[in-house]
Amino acid sequence: MAVLAESGSNPDVELLYDINGLAKAAPHWFDRVMEFVGEYGLPVAMVLLVLGCWLFVRRRGGPDAVPSVAALVWAPLAAAVAVLVNVPIRGFVERPRPFMDHQGLDVLIAGKSDYSFVSDHATITMAIGVGLFVANRRFGIAGIALALLEGFCRVFMGVHYPTDVIGGFALGTAVALLLSPPATALLTPLVRAIARSPRAGRLVSAPPAGGGRGDALFSGGRETAGSGEKDLAA
């Protein structure tokens, strides 16, 4: 069993008290808002951001629609894979929640009895944020910003050490980036097959206002190589 940051002189613990101390100084209503945002609000916002990015990519269409949608599908899948990877990490480290080892914390949400390292919330939100960045830079920056806010909320709530959050950010980023090439290589043919369907193809690209869907969506590498600006990490 590995033990992290058990000394009160440790910078990790000191930063925990500094950030969580803001909860003690804040009004009760603000703590309740932060509790909801940190536990439920930001994860829901990440889902809505993924849906918003999908609508944007679908509406724009063009030859980059298939690879962009494939990369977008990978974003939530990356979060799921990262959480699975975190299961053995938590079991190996076995780090208790900070309020179990340190007195005087203002814990905003009760019932957290599982291990603390690494933070699932930080892992999930950062994996989605980085996955979004691969698909579309503007939405990805917004997602990463929300993930950073989620990490702050977890420490503010007194349920994670700062290093729990940093570890979650690192894990989510690593999974989303390192597995992105093989994942999109597998997902792109599937998305392309869906795009060819007269009905399901609307999930990938909205029909142009003038009528037919056109051939650009299915032209593959020839037109993509000659196209101008691309959504994928652009």
Side-chain angles (χ1 to χ4, degrees), residues 186-208:
L186 292 173
L187 289 170
T188 298
L190 175 61
V191 174
R192 181 171 289 112
I194 293 173
R196 293 180 183 275
S197 170
R199 294 180 179 272
R202 295 172 181 268
L203 296 173
V204 179
S205 180

Side-chain angles (χ1 to χ4, degrees), residues 138-149:
R138 286 179 293 175
F139 281 89
I141 290 174
I144 291 172
L146 290 179
L148 294 174
L149 178 59

Side-chain angles (χ1 to χ4, degrees), residues 16-226:
L16 165 68
Y17 276 105
D18 288 341
I19 296 177
N20 182 253
L22 300 174
K24 288 187 175 183
H28 178 75
W29 65 265
F30 185 79
D31 285 350
R32 299 285 74 79
V33 170
M34 291 294 284
E35 174 188 343
F36 175 81
V37 169
E39 189 71 10
Y40 307 108
L42 288 172
V44 171
M46 296 298 292
V47 173
L48 295 177
L49 195 62
V50 171
L51 292 176
C53 186
W54 167 68
L55 290 174
F56 173 80
V57 170
R58 174 183 176 273
R59 182 174 63 250
R60 200 196 57 172
D64 295 328
V66 168
S68 294
V69 171
L72 187 58
V73 171
W74 167 239
L77 291 179
V81 172
V83 170
L84 291 177
V85 173
N86 189 28
V87 172
I89 294 176
R90 281 195 169 196
F92 174 74
V93 177
E94 294 184 340
R95 186 187 204 183
R97 296 278 180 170
F99 53 80
M100 294 182 177
D101 288 336
H102 304 284
Q103 302 297 319
L105 292 173
D106 189 9
V107 183
L108 301 188
I109 186 167
K112 297 290 184 180
S113 58
D114 54 340
Y115 293 126
S116 186
F117 185 89
V118 296
S119 167
D120 277 339
H121 281 72
T123 301
I124 291 170
T125 52
M126 186 56 75
I128 294 177
V130 173
L132 275 172
F133 188 84
V134 173
N136 183 280
R137 181 167 294 177
R138 286 179 293 175
F139 281 89
I141 290 174
I144 291 172
L146 290 179
L148 294 174
L149 178 59
E150 175 67 29
F152 175 83
C153 288
R154 303 308 289 177
V155 181
F156 182 93
M157 295 161 61
V159 295
H160 281 293
Y161 294 96
T163 48
D164 296 338
V165 169
I166 294 172
F169 288 163
L171 176 59
T173 299
V175 169
L177 286 182
L178 295 179
L179 297 183
S180 177
T184 52
L186 292 173
L187 289 170
T188 298
L190 175 61
V191 174
R192 181 171 289 112
I194 293 173
R196 293 180 183 275
S197 170
R199 294 180 179 272
R202 295 172 181 268
L203 296 173
V204 179
S205 180
R213 294 175 53 83
D215 297 327
L217 183 61
F218 313 120
S219 59
R222 293 192 303 273
E223 292 202 20
T224 300

